[in-house]
Amino acid sequence: MFTNIISPRFLETDALGHINNTVLPMWFEASRDSIFRLFNPDMDPQNWKLILASFNVSFHAETLFGTDVEIRTFISRIGKSSFDAYQECWQNGVKTVSGTATMVHFCHKEKTSEPIPEHVITQMKQHGIPAE
Amino acid sequence: MFTNIISPRFLETDALGHINNTVLPMWFEASRDSIFRLFNPDMDPQNWKLILASFNVSFHAETLFGTDVEIRTFISRIGKSSFDAYQECWQNGVKTVSGTATMVHFCHKEKTSEPIPEHVITQMKQHGIPAE
Amino acid sequence: MFTNIISPRFLETDALGHINNTVLPMWFEASRDSIFRLFNPDMDPQNWKLILASFNVSFHAETLFGTDVEIRTFISRIGKSSFDAYQECWQNGVKTVSGTATMVHFCHKEKTSEPIPEHVITQMKQHGIPAE
Amino acid sequence: MFTNIISPRFLETDALGHINNTVLPMWFEASRDSIFRLFNPDMDPQNWKLILASFNVSFHAETLFGTDVEIRTFISRIGKSSFDAYQECWQNGVKTVSGTATMVHFCHKEKTSEPIPEHVITQMKQHGIPAE
C-alpha cells in the first residue's frame, strides 16, 4: 500500500458544502505518483511511460473541507502490459470514496503497449491488496 | 440526446500535450446540467435533488486543445430512484472518451432516496440511447 | 473588444454558494485565446509565443452558478514586446470581476522577449478600450 | 511567516511542460488557510468571515512538476477591517512566483465589513514581513 496525505482545498468544495465529486479523480491521480515513480524514477514528463485506459469512482460518504484525507493506493491486478490501481479516500476514520484505475505501460514513440518490466512487477507485488 | 459544446481550455492540457484525464469528469458533470434542470428547473443549489453514486470513464483517443468538443449525453437506464447517464466526448469526428454516471434522486433534508417523479421519467425517455 | 460566453460549472462553485475566486483567472486565461490566435493562428502549443508576466483580479460582486457570463477582453496597453489585456466578467448586467494581465512576446527557443510584429499590433489596436 | 508545503500535481502542468499560471492562485488560497483559522478556528464554511477583494500574482520563473514547493505567507498590511497577505512560491531555492491578496473581514449576515478583532491583530503581527 502507498499512502498519501492531502489537505482538501476550500476551492475544491462546491455549493453543496462538501468536496465536489470531480476532485476525487484529481486526488487519485496525484496519489498514483508513487506508481509512476516505479516506471519513471526521474518523473520526467518527456519520458512518460503510462497511459490511463479507464477508471471508475464510487462515492460512499461526503468528503469534507477542514480535515486531511489519506489516500490509500494498492496494485489490485498485474497483467502483461497493464495493471489496476485500487484506491481509497479516508477521512475521520470513514472510507468516503473508492475507485480503480486501469493503466497501460506504453511507449509513446512506438505508440504501442509494452510488457511491464520484471523489476517493476517485483516492486508492485509489495503493494497488493492484503488478504483479509 | 442532450448535446453541449465545450471549448477546451489551455490550462486543461498537461505536460503530455493534450487534455488531462481528470478534466473529462468535469466536462461530463457540466454537461449533465440538462439533466439537473429536469429535476431542478431553477438550478438552485440550495434545492439540489441529485447525488452521484459512481461513475466510470474510458479513454479511446487523445483529446486536444484548439478544437471544440461535443459532449453527448443519454439516459441509458431509468430505475425507481436512480438512473444512469451515458456520455461521449467527440472531437474532429472521433469519439475520444465515454463514460457512465449513476445518479440517485435524493432528498437532502430526509437523507433518503426518493422515487423519480413521473413527469421527469417522461422527459428522460426522450433522451435514451437510440436502437442501432 | 473580444467577447466570450462561458457557462459556469457547478464544480466551480464553493461552499459559500457562488463561483470560487480562483476560477476567474481560468476564465480570463481561456478568454485570451483570441489574443493568442493573433500570434499563433494554428494554436499549436509547441509554437507558443506568449508568456504571462503578471496579472491582477478585483472582485466587485458575487458570480453565480446558473446563468452564463460574458467575458470582455480589451488590449489596454501595447508596448514594444509586451502588452496588457484588461478583462471584465459580466453576469445579469453586473460587472462582477475585472482584471489585467501583462503578457510578453517571447521566443521559447532563444529565451528572450521579442518585438510584437507590426501586423499583430495593427489587429490589437482594433480591440482597445473605447474612449468614454 | 506561515509556511505550507505543496506537491505539484501532474494535472496542474500544461502543454508548455510546467505548472500552469492559473494554478498559483489556488495554491495561494489553500495556503491562506492559516489566516482563515485565525478568524474561524473551526474552519466552518457556514461561519466564514473573510472575503477576497483583489489579488495580484507575478511570475519570476517556471514552476515545475516533480519537486515540492514551499508557499510562504506574510501579513504585509493590517488596516481597520482589511489586510494584505503577501505570498511567495519557492522551489529548488528559487522564488518562482509572488503575489498579494487583499482580504476584508466581513459579516455575511449584515453584508458589511467589520473591524478586525484585537486578538487577531495581535496574532497577525507575529507573521509580518521581517525588516531586511
Side-chain angles (χ1 to χ4, degrees):
Chain A
M1 180 177 76
F2 299 101
T3 61
N4 187 31
I5 302 298
I6 290 180
S7 298
R9 301 173 182 172
F10 188 74
L11 60 98
E12 294 173 331
T13 61
D14 66 24
L16 296 181
H18 39 81
I19 300 299
N20 184 268
N21 298 307
T22 65
V23 172
L24 271 296
M26 299 193 238
W27 291 356
F28 283 165
E29 180 186 295
S31 300
R32 291 195 300 268
D33 275 4
S34 309
I35 301 175
F36 296 144
R37 213 174 292 271
L38 298 181
F39 288 86
N40 293 58
D42 61 359
M43 295 298 263
D44 178 4
Q46 301 309 318
N47 191 27
W48 215 244
K49 290 185 174 128
L50 292 172
I51 55 173
L52 184 60
S54 64
F55 69 86
N56 61 63
V57 186
S58 296
F59 299 91
H60 313 297
E62 295 174 357
T63 308
L64 307 171
F65 173 73
T67 312
D68 283 359
V69 300
E70 180 183 294
I71 308 295
R72 301 179 184 173
T73 300
F74 305 86
I75 308 296
S76 54
R77 183 187 65 86
I78 304 177
K80 190 163 179 293
S81 59
S82 73
F83 65 94
D84 289 354
Y86 169 71
Q87 299 180 284
E88 295 175 342
C89 174
W90 287 79
Q91 188 179 51
N92 296 325
V94 176
K95 182 178 65 179
T96 62
V97 188
S98 62
T100 298
T102 298
M103 316 208 66
V104 180
H105 186 219
F106 192 78
C107 176
H108 278 89
K109 283 177 194 156
E110 304 284 342
K111 296 279 180 194
T112 52
S113 61
E114 289 189 335
I116 304 173
E118 273 307 316
H119 74 277
V120 174
I121 289 178
T122 303
Q123 289 176 285
M124 282 180 153
K125 284 181 175 168
Q126 298 169 21
H127 298 280
I129 300 182
E132 295 188 48
Chain B
M1 181 176 75
F2 300 101
T3 62
N4 186 32
I5 303 297
I6 290 180
S7 298
R9 301 174 182 172
F10 187 74
L11 61 98
E12 293 174 330
T13 62
D14 66 23
L16 296 180
H18 39 80
I19 300 301
N20 183 268
N21 298 308
T22 63
V23 172
L24 271 297
M26 299 194 240
W27 292 354
F28 283 165
E29 179 185 294
S31 300
R32 290 195 300 268
D33 274 4
S34 308
I35 300 175
F36 295 144
R37 213 174 292 271
L38 297 182
F39 288 87
N40 294 57
D42 61 359
M43 294 300 262
D44 178 2
Q46 301 310 318
N47 191 24
W48 215 244
K49 291 185 174 127
L50 291 172
I51 55 172
L52 184 60
S54 64
F55 69 86
N56 61 63
V57 186
S58 296
F59 299 91
H60 313 297
E62 295 172 357
T63 307
L64 306 171
F65 173 73
T67 311
D68 283 359
V69 300
E70 180 183 295
I71 308 295
R72 301 178 185 173
T73 300
F74 305 87
I75 308 295
S76 53
R77 184 186 65 84
I78 304 177
K80 188 160 181 295
S81 59
S82 73
F83 64 93
D84 289 352
Y86 168 72
Q87 298 179 283
E88 296 176 341
C89 174
W90 286 79
Q91 189 179 50
N92 296 324
V94 177
K95 182 178 66 180
T96 63
V97 189
S98 62
T100 298
T102 297
M103 315 206 67
V104 180
H105 186 219
F106 192 79
C107 176
H108 277 89
K109 283 176 197 158
E110 304 284 341
K111 297 278 180 193
T112 53
S113 60
E114 290 189 335
I116 304 173
E118 272 307 316
H119 73 278
V120 174
I121 289 178
T122 303
Q123 288 175 288
M124 281 181 152
K125 284 181 175 167
Q126 298 169 22
H127 298 280
I129 300 182
E132 295 191 45
Chain C
M1 181 176 76
F2 299 101
T3 61
N4 187 32
I5 303 298
I6 290 180
S7 298
R9 300 173 183 173
F10 188 73
L11 60 99
E12 293 173 331
T13 61
D14 65 23
L16 296 181
H18 39 80
I19 300 299
N20 183 269
N21 298 307
T22 64
V23 172
L24 271 296
M26 299 194 241
W27 291 357
F28 282 166
E29 179 185 294
S31 299
R32 291 194 301 267
D33 274 3
S34 308
I35 301 176
F36 295 144
R37 214 174 289 270
L38 298 181
F39 288 86
N40 294 57
D42 61 358
M43 294 300 263
D44 178 2
Q46 301 310 316
N47 191 27
W48 215 244
K49 290 183 175 129
L50 291 172
I51 54 172
L52 184 60
S54 64
F55 68 86
N56 61 64
V57 186
S58 295
F59 299 91
H60 313 297
E62 295 173 358
T63 308
L64 306 171
F65 173 73
T67 311
D68 283 359
V69 301
E70 179 183 294
I71 308 295
R72 301 179 184 172
T73 300
F74 305 86
I75 308 295
S76 53
R77 184 187 65 85
I78 304 177
K80 189 163 180 293
S81 59
S82 74
F83 64 94
D84 288 353
Y86 168 72
Q87 298 179 284
E88 295 175 342
C89 174
W90 286 79
Q91 188 178 51
N92 296 325
V94 176
K95 182 178 66 180
T96 63
V97 188
S98 63
T100 298
T102 297
M103 315 208 66
V104 180
H105 186 220
F106 192 80
C107 176
H108 277 90
K109 283 177 195 156
E110 304 283 343
K111 296 278 179 193
T112 52
S113 60
E114 289 189 335
I116 304 172
E118 272 307 316
H119 74 278
V120 174
I121 289 179
T122 303
Q123 288 176 287
M124 282 181 153
K125 284 180 175 167
Q126 298 169 20
H127 298 281
I129 299 182
E132 297 191 44
Chain D
M1 181 176 76
F2 299 100
T3 62
N4 187 31
I5 302 298
I6 290 179
S7 298
R9 300 173 182 172
F10 188 74
L11 60 98
E12 294 174 330
T13 61
D14 66 24
L16 297 180
H18 39 82
I19 299 301
N20 183 269
N21 298 306
T22 63
V23 173
L24 271 296
M26 298 194 240
W27 292 355
F28 282 167
E29 178 184 296
S31 300
R32 290 195 300 269
D33 274 3
S34 308
I35 300 175
F36 295 143
R37 214 174 291 270
L38 298 182
F39 288 86
N40 293 57
D42 61 358
M43 295 300 262
D44 178 3
Q46 300 312 317
N47 191 25
W48 215 244
K49 291 184 174 129
L50 292 172
I51 56 172
L52 184 60
S54 64
F55 69 86
N56 61 64
V57 186
S58 296
F59 299 91
H60 313 296
E62 294 172 357
T63 308
L64 307 171
F65 173 73
T67 312
D68 283 358
V69 301
E70 180 183 295
I71 308 296
R72 301 178 185 173
T73 300
F74 305 87
I75 307 296
S76 53
R77 184 185 66 85
I78 304 178
K80 189 162 180 295
S81 60
S82 73
F83 65 93
D84 289 353
Y86 168 71
Q87 298 180 283
E88 296 175 342
C89 174
W90 287 79
Q91 188 180 51
N92 296 324
V94 176
K95 182 178 65 181
T96 63
V97 187
S98 63
T100 298
T102 297
M103 314 206 68
V104 180
H105 186 219
F106 192 79
C107 176
H108 276 90
K109 283 176 197 158
E110 304 283 342
K111 296 279 179 192
T112 52
S113 60
E114 290 189 334
I116 304 173
E118 273 307 315
H119 73 279
V120 174
I121 289 179
T122 303
Q123 288 176 287
M124 282 182 152
K125 283 181 175 166
Q126 298 168 21
H127 298 281
I129 300 183
E132 296 191 45

